[in-house]
Amino acid sequence: MADDRVVSVGFLTQNDLDRLGATFERHFPIADDDLFAELIAKLDEIDAEPFGKGVVLMPHPKA
C-alpha cells in the first residue's frame, strides 16, 4: 500500500514516545547497550540544512 511506505526513521527517547501518545504504536524498543553508539556519533557529525521541500546533509566543517 502506498500509504504504508516508510517516510522516516528516528531514534526516540521515552519523553518523545510520551509526547506522541498511546496511539503511536509502531516503535521498536532497543536495548540500552551502545549498539548504536558509533552510528549516533557519526550522525552527530552531520549538519542538516533546509533545502527546497527537504533537507541537505553536510559534514560539519573541520575545526
Side-chain angles (χ1 to χ4, degrees):
M1 289 184 173
D3 290 343
D4 286 342
R5 68 187 183 92
V6 174
V7 296
S8 178
V9 174
F11 291 97
L12 304 174
T13 65
Q14 184 61 53
N15 186 43
D16 296 328
L17 290 175
D18 293 343
R19 291 182 69 196
L20 288 166
T23 59
F24 183 79
E25 298 174 343
R26 294 188 69 177
H27 62 93
F28 305 94
I30 58 171
D32 188 11
D33 61 5
D34 285 340
L35 180 65
F36 293 100
E38 184 178 342
L39 173 61
I40 292 171
K42 290 292 185 186
L43 291 173
D44 283 341
E45 296 175 8
I46 298 172
D47 286 328
E49 298 288 334
F51 185 76
K53 292 184 177 181
V55 296
V56 63
L57 303 177
M58 300 178 299
H60 285 295
K62 301 288 182 196

